[in-house]
Amino acid sequence: MLAGRRYRLMLTPEQVERCEEFGRICRSVWNTALEQRREYRRRGSWINYEQQAWELADAKGDHEWLKLAPAQVLQQTLMDLERACRERGTWRVNWRSQRRWSPSFRFPTGKLITTERIGKRWGRCKLPKLGWVRFRWTRALGGIVRSATVSRDGPDWFVSFLVDTGTATPEQHAKPGSEVGIDRGVVTAVATSDSVGFDREFTTAGEQRRYLRLQRKLARQQSGSANRAKTLTAMRRIKRAERNRRKDFCAQVSHRIADEYALIVLERLHIRNMTASARGTVDDTGSKVSQKSGLNRNMLGKGWHAFELALRNAARSTGSSIVKVPAAHTSQRCFACHTVDQASRESQAVYRCTTCEHTDHADVNAAKNILAAGRKEAGRLHAVTACGDLGVARSAKQEPGTSVTGDRQLALLVGVRRL
């Protein structure tokens, strides 16, 4: 099984300069090769990786600066471009802008990479044309290194090792028959059909105030100035802390869910379409666009796609099966009587059916509907009865006589420890 290990590099000034140079060369090769592919497409023909690799070798005779970067790094750049063009199309692959693109390059040959631990908190690795590079040893590699990717995030540099752990995905989950439906929401990031929710704040109030102050300061500064660069660095540092917290949250929750359940059912969400701007629509008014922008920020801020990727990664180690079902009407359908009514969802927290008066937390009700649809798709249940078999704790007929309101049900949602 292949796994990733990411560490923070401690580069010397000479190594930083070399990494910046390697990044510039890779960006130039990417953009030149992409333009060449598009020119071939305009003529109705096609050029592949093998031909571009031969032309790159010939170009080194005319351009000495191409020899400064390792040959395997440039070849890997062409291979990444080949894959991107085949998956997305030549015209949908983005250019690597000098301002927006963060330098990164990959060493694909693990045999040329040597790693060793030199202390309790430090390790080092030997990379072609960089020599020995120190990094913070935050966790063991746990396998054989297959490749290494060096990238820059703000002012810091990181190395990501792709290691072969030597393990395989279990044939059967430790808890066969366990199943759960998951609803990803805006108020609660992850809500399960077992009435358990996971959420946390990824930015503090102080960070939000500082970021807003930096945005206003950036608007007053001159483009290309040194002070503007410092402001951008401070803004990126805040955003990086937010990304790290979100990534940590997704990893914790996904491993917890994958350890507990053999079948995990998710909604099939088209996040790109869901977060599209409201500009140009029929209701293109200032208030509508502003409301949609705020909703888009909340959806993207919860990290729905990152959670799905982390869940698929965790499922490899536990043997869990992940099933995706259509998301239509899952939040508007009553789990007890299957009636679809938009008015039943009174708020983000309260769901009260207008037909049978079934009351539940809105996200939990949606998660139960997702689980029921996942059972059918996975072949675990042919039909769901009108009363609604929860399949995890009890039948809907066995619910207590006193109804639990959505506000009280929200108290059952247990969040991940806030750091």
Side-chain angles (χ1 to χ4, degrees):
M1 184 184 301
L2 298 178
R5 303 287 187 264
R6 190 167 185 255
Y7 305 92
R8 181 177 177 180
L9 290 174
M10 299 300 294
L11 302 176
T12 62
E14 294 78 10
Q15 290 174 338
V16 171
E17 185 177 355
R18 288 185 185 180
C19 289
E20 293 282 358
E21 190 173 39
F22 293 169
R24 289 193 296 266
I25 296 174
C26 291
R27 180 178 59 85
S28 178
V29 170
W30 175 282
N31 292 338
T32 304
L34 178 58
E35 176 58 29
Q36 186 182 32
R37 285 176 174 269
R38 291 186 176 182
E39 185 62 29
Y40 268 77
R41 295 302 297 158
R42 293 188 187 100
R43 300 175 183 177
S45 57
W46 179 265
I47 185 173
N48 56 12
Y49 160 75
E50 287 77 11
Q51 185 176 351
Q52 287 189 322
W54 280 106
E55 294 183 1
L56 176 63
D58 294 338
K60 290 183 178 180
D62 300 331
H63 305 282
E64 292 294 330
W65 54 272
L66 287 173
K67 299 180 181 180
L68 299 177
Q72 56 180 316
V73 169
L74 302 182
Q75 293 173 359
Q76 184 62 44
T77 301
L78 294 179
M79 293 182 65
D80 293 340
L81 178 62
E82 171 86 4
R83 180 178 179 180
C85 291
R86 291 189 179 276
E87 291 181 353
R88 290 180 285 173
T90 305
W91 301 101
R92 293 188 176 181
V93 178
N94 296 328
W95 302 97
R96 289 186 172 178
S97 172
Q98 182 177 0
R99 292 185 178 181
R100 296 180 178 273
W101 180 70
S102 296
S104 66
F105 46 91
R106 186 187 311 170
F107 298 93
T109 308
K111 296 180 180 179
L112 301 179
I113 302 172
T114 305
T115 59
E116 61 181 25
R117 190 169 184 175
I118 59 177
K120 182 179 181 180
R121 298 183 179 180
W122 295 98
R124 67 174 185 172
C125 61
K126 190 175 183 180
L127 301 175
K129 290 195 175 183
L130 279 179
W132 287 103
V133 181
R134 298 176 64 210
F135 60 88
R136 288 297 302 269
W137 189 280
T138 54
R139 63 178 301 182
L141 286 173
I144 302 175
V145 176
R146 298 301 183 187
S147 66
T149 302
V150 178
S151 60
R152 190 188 69 185
D153 188 354
D156 301 321
W157 288 85
F158 296 85
V159 59
S160 300
F161 296 109
L162 183 66
V163 299
D164 188 355
T165 60
T167 59
T169 302
E171 297 182 358
Q172 188 178 13
H173 194 271
K175 298 180 180 179
S178 56
E179 52 191 9
V180 67
I182 296 178
D183 177 70
R184 289 167 285 181
V186 175
V187 177
T188 303
V190 177
T192 69
S193 55
D194 291 343
S195 301
V196 178
F198 303 92
D199 199 9
R200 65 163 292 179
E201 296 292 337
F202 303 120
T203 57
T204 63
E207 289 176 340
Q208 294 176 2
R209 290 193 299 268
R210 288 197 300 271
Y211 193 80
L212 181 60
R213 186 166 60 248
L214 289 172
Q215 281 184 317
R216 295 171 178 172
K217 183 178 180 180
L218 184 70
R220 298 190 300 266
Q221 292 174 336
Q222 185 178 359
S223 178
S225 63
N227 289 332
R228 183 181 177 89
K230 294 179 182 178
T231 303
L232 288 173
T233 301
M235 295 173 64
R236 288 166 182 162
R237 187 177 293 110
I238 295 176
K239 285 299 180 181
R240 190 176 74 179
E242 179 184 353
R243 291 195 305 269
N244 291 340
R245 295 187 190 113
R246 187 183 298 110
K247 183 178 180 180
D248 180 69
F249 167 79
C250 293
Q252 289 187 44
V253 176
S254 61
H255 279 82
R256 179 172 175 179
I257 292 176
D259 289 340
E260 293 293 331
Y261 302 100
L263 175 65
I264 305 172
V265 187
L266 297 173
E267 292 178 294
R268 187 178 294 110
L269 300 178
H270 303 282
I271 301 177
R272 182 184 295 267
N273 298 335
M274 295 173 62
T275 56
S277 176
R279 297 185 183 275
T281 61
V282 178
D283 298 330
D284 189 359
T285 60
S287 59
K288 292 289 183 180
V289 173
S290 178
Q291 292 175 3
K292 188 63 170 65
S293 300
L295 180 61
N296 292 345
R297 285 194 298 269
N298 293 333
M299 287 191 292
L300 295 174
K302 291 299 181 179
W304 291 351
H305 183 63
F307 170 73
E308 181 178 342
L309 294 180
L311 190 61
R312 291 187 179 277
N313 182 47
R316 297 187 306 160
S317 302
T318 61
S320 302
S321 300
I322 299 178
V323 177
K324 298 179 71 174
V325 298
H329 306 301
T330 54
S331 61
Q332 301 175 1
R333 179 183 291 110
C334 176
F335 178 74
C337 66
H338 297 177
T339 301
V340 178
D341 188 0
Q342 186 177 0
S344 298
R345 183 156 187 171
E346 298 181 357
S347 65
Q348 290 288 341
V350 180
Y351 182 90
R352 184 176 290 104
C353 181
T354 57
T355 303
C356 67
E357 297 184 356
H358 170 71
T359 304
D360 204 344
H361 189 275
D363 293 336
V364 174
N365 178 78
K368 293 177 181 178
N369 290 326
I370 294 170
L371 175 59
R375 288 173 179 160
K376 295 181 181 179
E377 188 166 337
R380 302 172 69 91
L381 189 65
H382 296 289
V384 179
T385 59
C387 63
D389 189 5
L390 301 182
V392 286
R394 60 179 184 274
S395 174
K397 292 182 179 179
Q398 299 174 346
E399 291 185 354
T402 57
S403 62
V404 182
T405 63
D407 293 337
R408 291 179 58 192
Q409 186 76 7
L410 183 62
L412 299 178
L413 299 178
V414 182
V416 173
R417 179 173 61 91
R418 300 179 184 272
L419 302 178

